[in-house]
Amino acid sequence: AQSVAQPEDQVNVAEGNPLTVKCTYSVSGNPYLFWYVQYPNRGLQFLLKYITGDNLVKGSYGFEAEFNKSQTSFHLKKPSALVSDSALYFCAVRDGRNTGKLIFGQGTTLQVKP
Amino acid sequence: DSGVTQTPKHLITATGQRVTLRCSPRSGDLSVYWYQQSLDQGLQFLIQYYNGEERAKGNILERFSAQQFPDLHSELNLSSLELGDSALYFCASSVGMGAYEQYFGPGTRLTVT
């Protein structure tokens, strides 16, 4: 079965510093990977996805993610964190063919301090 | 604003009752998904419909059912409610069935007392 793991419950960074939110995956076949962000009392917002091609994927709000097949990782990154980036981040993997069913990680809370 | 609407925003009901949650997908999207978010279970996939047909099922309880109507809106029916059903229920939509990004609604917060 497909799965994703987010090893950190919380990540703390100072504003202006680079940030990384980690995600590892376990899939059979080619992985289809996603990052979503959830702000308090809001639905999830799509950030970016990896389907195929370039291992560095660029997404919304200056975020990017690096796909690493050998390490089965898909870490989310941003060169310079903003206080407004503070939110709950979810990594997800598509489960199965001909379906959009997503399996989500447990989420990582990002806290950016001024 | 994702373009996905969900009603109601909040729902408080008693154990044993039945409720219906409603979702309208983004204009042009044919796929609708339902997810449940709770503190102990995290974000769990319940069910997917594509153009009116069920396409994928997760660990959805037998007490729960859903459907997608010809106008593509969807309803999630929860019956014989238990305290453990209290959660945030999200609807999402996407243009197709495959690896398309999903757009999430604001959710319905269900509290069972």
Side-chain angles (χ1 to χ4, degrees):
Chain A
Q2 327 284 49
S3 66
V4 290
Q6 295 178 241
E8 301 155 318
D9 289 337
Q10 182 156 327
V11 170
N12 298 308
V13 298
E15 188 175 31
N17 282 2
L19 70 87
T20 298
V21 183
K22 295 180 180 177
C23 172
T24 59
Y25 65 88
S26 174
V27 303
S28 54
N30 295 322
Y32 293 83
L33 298 159
F34 300 78
W35 276 101
Y36 284 83
V37 60
Q38 184 178 26
Y39 295 97
N41 302 313
R42 302 281 294 276
L44 278 72
Q45 294 179 35
F46 169 77
L47 283 178
L48 49 82
K49 68 179 179 183
Y50 173 83
I51 304 300
T52 187
D54 196 349
N55 288 343
L56 186 64
V57 180
K58 294 192 181 297
S60 306
Y61 312 120
F63 283 94
E64 57 190 26
E66 187 171 9
F67 172 71
N68 188 316
K69 189 173 184 177
S70 62
Q71 296 187 5
T72 62
S73 67
F74 188 55
H75 300 332
L76 182 70
K77 301 182 179 185
K78 188 174 182 182
S80 178
L82 300 172
V83 172
S84 58
D85 293 329
S86 299
L88 182 58
Y89 290 80
F90 289 97
C91 181
V93 65
R94 190 186 75 164
D95 186 20
R97 299 179 66 176
N98 296 320
T99 171
K101 173 184 175 182
L102 293 178
I103 304 297
F104 284 90
Q106 68 271 33
T108 298
T109 298
L110 174 65
Q111 193 75 258
V112 181
K113 301 196 174 178
Chain B
D1 183 4
S2 68
V4 178
T5 60
Q6 289 187 249
T7 57
K9 286 187 178 179
H10 302 277
L11 202 48
I12 301 175
T13 189
T15 54
Q17 296 297 306
R18 172 189 169 95
V19 297
T20 297
L21 313 183
R22 183 188 168 100
C23 167
S24 292
R26 287 190 326 156
S27 177
D29 284 359
L30 298 178
S31 270
V32 169
Y33 312 80
W34 287 97
Y35 292 89
Q36 178 194 60
Q37 185 178 33
S38 62
L39 284 175
D40 54 344
Q41 297 286 330
L43 200 53
Q44 299 280 322
F45 169 80
L46 294 177
I47 199 163
Q48 176 196 359
Y49 281 84
Y50 177 77
N51 205 19
E53 293 188 11
E54 182 185 306
R55 287 294 180 167
K57 218 167 183 177
N59 294 326
I60 186 168
L61 299 171
E62 285 191 11
R63 300 183 286 108
F64 295 3
S65 65
Q67 54 183 327
Q68 186 180 27
F69 295 86
D71 67 352
L72 301 178
H73 91 272
S74 178
E75 293 181 355
L76 179 67
N77 300 295
L78 316 176
S79 61
S80 303
L81 285 167
E82 302 175 358
L83 295 177
D85 297 327
S86 296
L88 198 49
Y89 291 84
F90 286 111
C91 170
S93 72
S94 67
V95 62
M97 271 198 301
Y100 297 95
E101 51 266 40
Q102 295 176 23
Y103 293 87
F104 281 72
T108 293
R109 183 169 294 281
L110 173 67
T111 302
V112 182
T113 62

